[in-house]
Amino acid sequence: MTTASRVLVLNSGSSSVKYQLLDMADSSRLAVGLVERIGETTSRLVHEPLAGPGAAGGRRERVGAIADHEAALQAVAQELAADGMGLDSPELAAVGHRVVHGGTRFTAPTVIDDEVLAEIRSLIPLAPLHNPANVTGIEVAHHLRPDVPQVAVFDTAFHATMPEHVARYAIDAATAEKYAIRRYGFHGTSHAYVSRATAALLGRPVEEVNVIVLHLGNGASASAVRGGVCVETSMGLTPLEGLVMGTRSGDLDPAVIFHLARVGGFSVDEIDSLLNKKSGLLGLCGDNDMREVLRRAGEGDEAARLAFAAYVHRLKKYIGAYAAVLGRVDAVAFTAGVGENAHPVREAAIDGLAELGLVLDPEANAVRSPQARLVSAEHSRVAVAVVPTDEELEIAAQAYALVTQ
């Protein structure tokens, strides 16, 4: 009798579903895909089987109206079934869901029942853009396969180990308690995976390694990880705090909000939109794609140069601050789209930090590779690593470990 070892990982957005089917017997990917523009007439499903009889045919794509998330997951199920890997397979051990906000209750992967689902719904005010879609994905997946465990893996969970004096804001304690105001942090599955992968790259037990993880995508966050345990992270109550991002401002004097409301007549929603969707690189130079910012900066565009300088300056501040928090740093790890691919960002962020033990090897840094690798000079006291993140594998591993305990 074969033990079920497959995990379907779902990342449900407001109008999209990303998915991967993995076999945890060997951590291999069986299929990957994306459904986007759900609810529109131009919905698009891209499916790529990586194993089984369908793999030889390669990637498949279909365009046409997909009304809602249930229709989207039905379409995903059809594509998987066509490859002999349908959701009705007895080999499916679990469905792992990325859930953005777990509040203070959910600090580990959790099998979803009615009570857990109700609690995730109650956290919607803390993550109004993400948790509603996460809930929808859970409900639809349960409807399609009610006998298979649904597991929530929370973006906030890895950061739940932050000491209380780090997680608390210095505001009235009763108000903070009433409205659940504290620093939660996000991108936790990525920070967890990359911190462990960095220790493996160094050939050392994770318990012995202190690492600063820089997750740099359109959203960006930093974390200080001591021996595999997060002790500080840059995002806070929401993903707005911290680094300069593609469209988010990151750290900001709170009085800017009051000023915009009192002097500019901005509404709360207008300020929210400004800081989350019209700031960061986009606000500074009109582009939120780092590739375009670098191209323009290279051609002498002053707005792009300013945006790049602001982005890098914030990175340096956090590297220095987290070096102070950790006391000893063994590695700085760059990950996610910008961190893995934009070597000028890594070069500029590490430049001038030799006194902290950080020295790049320019040739190694300039090489593009899908593999985890060191890009620091041989004499660098602190390793500089590029570690491709794998949030789907992390979610699948956590879900599978939970249901097979």
Side-chain angles (χ1 to χ4, degrees):
M1 180 177 178
T2 303
T3 302
S5 59
R6 293 177 181 173
V7 177
L8 177 65
V9 176
L10 296 178
N11 183 350
S12 299
S14 58
S15 61
S16 68
V17 175
K18 297 178 185 178
Y19 64 93
Q20 291 194 13
L21 182 66
L22 300 96
D23 190 336
M24 298 315 296
D26 57 5
S27 298
S28 62
R29 281 172 176 76
L30 305 178
V32 301
L34 166 69
V35 187
E36 58 184 352
R37 299 194 290 270
I38 295 171
E40 301 180 23
T41 57
T42 57
S43 304
R44 176 171 171 260
L45 188 155
V46 179
H47 175 83
E48 185 174 4
L50 303 175
R59 172 175 156 166
R60 304 192 294 269
E61 181 175 337
R62 52 167 145 156
V63 177
I66 296 177
D68 52 29
H69 282 71
E70 181 158 8
L73 284 181
Q74 290 279 12
V76 170
Q78 290 169 10
E79 294 294 335
L80 290 170
D83 299 321
M85 299 182 288
L87 296 190
D88 59 349
S89 169
E91 296 181 67
L92 188 63
V95 179
H97 297 268
R98 178 196 180 214
V99 179
V100 167
H101 216 303
T104 55
R105 173 177 172 183
F106 298 114
T107 60
T110 304
V111 174
I112 303 167
D113 56 20
D114 290 343
E115 181 184 350
V116 169
L117 188 58
E119 187 74 16
I120 294 172
R121 280 198 193 95
S122 76
L123 294 169
I124 285 174
L126 292 176
L129 299 178
H130 299 95
N131 272 34
N134 301 157
V135 167
T136 299
I138 292 166
E139 291 174 331
V140 173
H142 177 69
H143 175 70
L144 292 176
R145 193 69 197 271
D147 59 313
V148 170
Q150 310 286 321
V151 178
V153 178
F154 299 91
D155 269 12
T156 51
F158 182 64
H159 306 302
T161 53
M162 287 190 293
E164 191 68 5
H165 68 273
V166 174
R168 291 285 291 272
Y169 290 109
I171 67 171
D172 173 67
T175 301
E177 178 71 21
K178 182 177 181 179
Y179 297 105
I181 298 172
R182 61 188 290 117
R183 301 184 64 246
Y184 294 99
F186 299 89
H187 295 146
T189 51
S190 176
H191 287 277
Y193 177 85
V194 171
S195 58
R196 289 201 311 274
T198 301
L201 183 64
L202 297 179
R204 298 171 59 184
V206 68
E207 295 81 11
E208 295 179 3
V209 175
N210 291 355
V211 57
I212 298 171
V213 178
L214 302 172
H215 177 109
L216 308 180
N218 191 49
S221 60
S223 67
V225 183
R226 178 181 291 125
V229 176
C230 179
V231 296
E232 169 71 287
T233 193
S234 59
M235 287 180 168
L237 175 73
T238 75
L240 182 58
E241 187 179 359
L243 303 176
V244 174
M245 306 178 218
T247 65
R248 298 179 193 140
S249 65
D251 293 338
L252 185 80
D253 180 352
V256 170
I257 296 169
F258 314 146
H259 181 76
L260 289 172
R262 291 168 180 160
V263 178
F266 282 60
S267 69
V268 170
D269 288 343
E270 286 172 333
I271 295 172
D272 188 302
S273 177
L274 172 70
L275 299 183
N276 276 293
K277 300 177 181 179
K278 302 174 184 177
S279 296
L281 294 175
L282 182 67
L284 288 169
C285 73
D287 272 307
N288 65 305
D289 189 319
M290 181 58 77
R291 292 168 294 189
E292 189 64 14
V293 174
L294 288 170
R295 182 193 67 78
R296 288 173 50 191
E299 294 175 353
D301 186 302
E302 287 304 319
R305 286 182 171 180
L306 172 65
F308 181 75
Y311 185 97
V312 169
H313 177 72
R314 191 76 56 82
L315 270 179
K316 284 181 179 286
K317 282 179 64 176
Y318 271 89
I319 292 170
Y322 286 0
V325 167
L326 290 171
R328 187 199 81 243
V329 180
D330 299 297
V332 173
F334 290 85
T335 193
V338 174
E340 294 169 28
N341 299 304
H343 70 87
V345 170
R346 299 192 296 265
E347 181 180 2
I350 299 301
D351 183 50
L353 300 183
E355 289 297 320
L356 295 180
L358 291 156
V359 183
L360 274 185
D361 178 331
E363 292 186 6
N365 185 53
V367 173
R368 291 193 65 169
S369 169
Q371 304 301 318
R373 61 203 185 277
L374 295 179
V375 295
S376 43
E378 287 188 11
H379 63 280
S380 181
R381 190 173 75 250
V382 177
V384 182
V386 180
V387 181
T389 191
D390 198 333
E391 294 173 275
E392 290 80 13
L393 178 58
E394 180 72 14
I395 291 170
Q398 291 191 27
Y400 186 66
L402 182 62
V403 301
T404 57
Q405 282 178 349

